[in-house]
Amino acid sequence: MKLTGSQIVVECLKEQGVDTVFGYPGGAILNIYDELYKHDQEIRHVLTSHEQGASHAADGYARATGKVGVCMATSGPGATNLVTGIATAYMDSVPVVAITANVTVPLLGRDSFQEIDITGVTMPITKHNFIVKDVTELADTMRRAFFIAQEGRPGPVLVDITKDVTAAVTEYTRQEPWPVLRSTEYIKDADLETAAEMINKSERPFLYVGGGAVISNASEEVRALAHKINAPVGDSLMGKGAFDGRDELYCGMIGMHGTKASNFGVTDCDLLIVIGARFSDRVVGKVSKFAENAKILQIDVDPAEINKNVMVDASIIGDVKEVLKRLLPKLDENAHEDWVKHIEEYKNKFPLKYDPAGLTGPYVVKELYRITEGNALIVTEVGQHQMWAAQYYKYKEPHQLLTSGGLGTMGYGLGAAIGAKVGCPEKTVINIAGDGCFRMNMNEIATAARYNIPVIEVVINNHVLGMVRQWQTLFYGKRYSNTILNDNVDFVKLTEAMGAVGIRVTKKEEFEPALRKAMELGRPVVIDCIIDKDDKVFPMVPAGAAIEEVFDQDDLK
């Protein structure tokens, strides 16, 4: 049948099973929006307050549901406003398709009104991108975009469509989505045998679990591996939930704000088994000292990650879940009793701790865990509160923590929480924010209020840029250059002005009733928690130092 380009876009979204799009209209994309209007019973459009909010919402939707997140924006500034969200998704391997419109083909390259070369702009931060100048290529380009976003290591794909293509007419035939299979073509028997031999001979194995284990839904296999060889487990920020945080073998996060038990475990082990992780600098610290007593076995779907940041002794390339399924039967059961006891002593000697006297970030996060019984979907912004959320909430399953790990995007969390709640309406979705991050994209409270999306925003408000201030305190002689936010902005009034519910908490005993009220209301709620400006995240490793140089408040004394 003959359809316009705009109709083809909508039909392709329906082909892919897309039920929600986050976006913001404008002149160049009007034809597509006009077509969406006619299909509002099949595809829900969520109008965000800013295009960046749309890209973060698509990201949060994708991470929470495992499906592709979709966002839309018009040409020029609309498209460029998506860039931060696209880069965030790229760094954390999130399947997002961003659809933008551009000026007509005759106007390309002429500095036309609201023209931008968005494919050129986003080339380094997309898995792939396209500009469609011929309507006959549109349907297959859309299909390729969704396939590329999901296959292998996921990531964002951008499709830019010129306005004349959205109006042009061509033949369209519906197709089923192209099948996306787990990546197994590079899993070699010899690599599996080598890995099995290394693991079976190891006396002190340690598991380092990353975001790839979350993406591949490999939590059952990771647990089976850890318990079969009785190995302690640490994770990266992105790996949270791939291994149950309540398990007796769990040691905590590894790296700059990791636990001493995990950091010392990596240092003391004789085999580090790296599962779906890319050796981020925030995990590794000083490369030459990282796991220097160990052989390293890396399992990853992306060949480019092997020997990129840290040289490894062996590797298996393939989908983590599939690799572990094939590896597990080759492994001997092993108790490693002395090794596990050694790590248990670290855990007992160096527990996470904080000042219990007043309202603090760790107290708030621990209360969130207790009151939600560990079942909430937690989203975070970036900073101290993000690290407290990683340390004190026990994640028991994949896709339970949504956070910007690679890019570290302040302003990510609120949009992502909206996307997550739209995708998982049955879950309690809580965004943990700092006051600096909340200021960046707090306009999305208006989005949540407009659609009555009942996200809960918990602002850990210390009236400073807390993580930067912590560095200024420890390493910059307490020179607090432009990190003090002690002004007259009232987050509660601001929240109410945007149509949501605002609650202020200044004492420990006020937090539980505030959270329970927020959970019962069924409306978007902001809980403004006032804490001390000099609360710090510990443990900590100085930038560029070895991870065994981790210190806490006791060491400072």
Side-chain angles (χ1 to χ4, degrees):
M1 57 181 163
K2 297 275 189 183
L3 295 181
T4 66
S6 297
Q7 291 171 321
I8 290 170
V9 169
V10 172
E11 291 303 318
C12 285
L13 293 177
K14 288 158 64 177
E15 279 182 10
Q16 299 295 327
V18 173
D19 55 24
T20 307
V21 172
F22 305 89
Y24 205 97
I29 203 169
L30 263 180
N31 290 336
I32 293 174
Y33 268 83
D34 189 53
E35 198 58 37
L36 275 175
Y37 181 85
K38 303 168 190 174
H39 294 267
D40 62 351
Q41 298 303 306
E42 299 153 284
I43 299 176
R44 178 185 186 185
H45 182 278
V46 177
L47 175 65
T48 54
S49 298
H50 189 284
E51 290 93 350
Q52 188 180 133
S55 58
H56 293 324
D59 174 302
Y61 177 95
R63 295 194 206 212
T65 64
K67 298 189 286 187
V68 178
V70 181
C71 57
M72 286 185 178
T74 195
S75 62
T80 58
N81 281 344
L82 295 177
V83 167
T84 299
I86 292 170
T88 301
Y90 181 74
M91 290 289 281
D92 290 345
S93 305
V94 182
V96 168
V97 170
I99 300 168
T100 56
N102 215 322
V103 298
T104 59
V105 170
L107 292 177
L108 287 173
R110 297 177 179 271
D111 293 333
S112 305
F113 177 68
Q114 290 193 333
E115 181 200 356
I116 197 77
D117 176 12
I118 195 61
T119 54
V121 169
T122 60
M123 189 175 290
I125 56 164
T126 49
K127 193 174 173 188
H128 199 78
N129 66 22
F130 304 89
I131 180 167
V132 183
K133 304 177 189 177
D134 180 346
V135 71
T136 64
E137 298 175 358
L138 179 56
D140 277 348
T141 300
M142 291 287 293
R143 292 165 186 144
R144 284 183 66 195
F146 277 85
F147 177 78
I148 291 168
Q150 298 171 84
E151 63 91 28
R153 181 179 181 171
V157 178
L158 179 131
V159 182
D160 191 37
I161 309 166
T162 61
K163 187 170 184 178
D164 43 0
V165 166
T166 68
V169 175
T170 193
E171 192 67 32
Y172 164 81
T173 304
R174 189 184 189 282
Q175 290 186 12
E176 290 299 309
W178 300 351
V180 180
L181 305 176
R182 290 184 179 271
S183 180
T184 60
E185 63 268 33
Y186 297 115
I187 303 176
K188 303 288 191 289
D189 287 339
D191 293 340
L192 291 166
E193 294 295 339
T194 299
E197 183 180 0
M198 291 172 73
I199 294 170
N200 289 334
K201 286 183 177 179
S202 170
E203 296 179 359
R204 301 187 307 279
F206 194 97
L207 271 58
Y208 158 28
V209 181
V214 172
I215 292 166
S216 68
N217 292 303
S219 55
E220 289 182 21
E221 290 75 17
V222 172
R223 185 188 182 283
L225 171 62
H227 282 273
K228 187 167 189 177
I229 65 173
N230 207 31
V233 180
D235 53 20
S236 69
L237 179 66
M238 299 309 301
K240 291 287 173 187
F243 189 78
D244 192 333
R246 306 164 300 173
D247 193 289
E248 66 271 15
L249 289 173
Y250 183 64
C251 301
M253 194 163 61
I254 305 169
M256 179 172 283
H257 292 292
T259 62
K260 286 189 173 184
S262 281
N263 284 3
F264 293 161
V266 170
T267 302
D268 293 350
C269 72
D270 68 359
L271 176 66
L272 185 65
I273 305 168
V274 185
I275 304 172
R278 59 185 178 81
F279 297 105
S280 160
D281 58 297
R282 287 295 173 107
V283 171
V284 170
K286 189 174 184 178
V287 174
S288 62
K289 301 289 286 184
F290 183 75
E292 62 178 337
N293 302 311
K295 290 186 175 180
I296 301 176
L297 167 65
Q298 186 177 6
I299 301 168
D300 204 280
V301 75
D302 187 353
E305 292 299 340
I306 309 300
N307 295 322
K308 185 178 85 173
N309 294 327
V310 169
M311 299 299 292
V312 302
D313 297 278
S315 61
I316 310 173
I317 298 168
D319 178 85
V320 165
K321 190 179 185 76
E322 288 298 317
V323 169
L324 293 181
K325 277 183 178 178
R326 300 183 191 190
L327 181 61
L328 278 163
K330 301 177 184 293
L331 302 181
D332 302 331
E333 293 207 21
N334 200 322
H336 294 123
E337 291 175 358
D338 291 342
W339 170 235
V340 171
K341 182 181 177 183
H342 176 69
I343 296 298
E344 200 64 34
E345 288 171 356
Y346 280 146
K347 288 162 69 175
N348 292 333
K349 186 177 180 181
F350 304 115
L352 291 170
K353 54 187 177 181
Y354 62 94
D355 183 358
L359 186 68
T360 64
Y363 174 82
V364 167
V365 174
K366 288 192 78 170
E367 283 293 278
L368 285 172
Y369 177 73
R370 180 183 67 84
I371 296 165
T372 64
E373 299 178 343
N375 293 320
L377 198 162
I378 300 296
V379 190
T380 82
E381 304 286 353
V382 172
Q384 288 180 316
H385 61 276
Q386 179 188 34
M387 295 298 101
W388 288 323
Q391 292 172 335
Y392 290 98
Y393 201 100
K394 298 177 182 178
Y395 302 95
K396 56 188 178 182
E397 59 190 17
H399 311 289
Q400 198 181 359
L401 173 65
L402 314 184
T403 191
S404 173
L407 196 63
T409 306
M410 293 176 70
Y412 162 82
L414 182 51
I418 289 170
K421 185 66 178 177
V422 169
C424 302
E426 75 287 356
K427 294 186 179 179
T428 298
V429 177
I430 300 171
N431 182 43
I432 304 174
D435 50 317
C437 293
F438 183 58
R439 290 161 181 263
M440 290 205 169
N441 277 339
M442 60 188 171
N443 50 358
E444 298 306 336
I445 290 292
T447 304
R450 179 189 301 119
Y451 296 100
N452 196 31
I453 300 169
V455 294
I456 301 171
E457 176 94 352
V458 177
V459 181
I460 310 295
N461 187 352
N462 52 12
H463 294 96
V464 293
L465 297 177
M467 187 62 88
V468 186
R469 182 184 177 88
Q470 177 166 330
W471 279 60
Q472 289 172 331
T473 301
L474 295 173
F475 308 117
Y476 287 85
K478 299 184 179 180
R479 295 182 294 277
Y480 300 122
S481 176
N482 292 288
T483 50
I484 297 170
L485 307 176
N486 196 15
D487 51 30
N488 294 320
V489 177
D490 186 323
F491 289 164
V492 171
K493 288 181 178 178
L494 212 121
T495 297
E496 291 170 348
M498 287 189 279
V501 177
I503 305 171
R504 181 165 292 112
V505 171
T506 59
K507 300 174 184 175
K508 290 170 68 174
E509 56 268 25
E510 295 173 346
F511 183 73
E512 180 174 356
L515 181 61
R516 292 201 182 277
K517 179 180 178 181
M519 291 169 68
E520 292 165 4
L521 277 175
R523 293 178 59 192
V525 178
V526 174
I527 305 174
D528 184 20
C529 301
I530 310 299
I531 70 165
D532 187 86
K533 64 182 181 297
D534 282 312
D535 283 359
K536 294 181 177 61
V537 176
F538 288 116
M540 183 177 186
V541 178
I547 61 171
E548 66 261 36
E549 294 178 46
V550 57
F551 66 91
D552 57 24
Q553 53 270 61
D554 292 338
D555 297 316
L556 286 178
K557 292 173 186 174

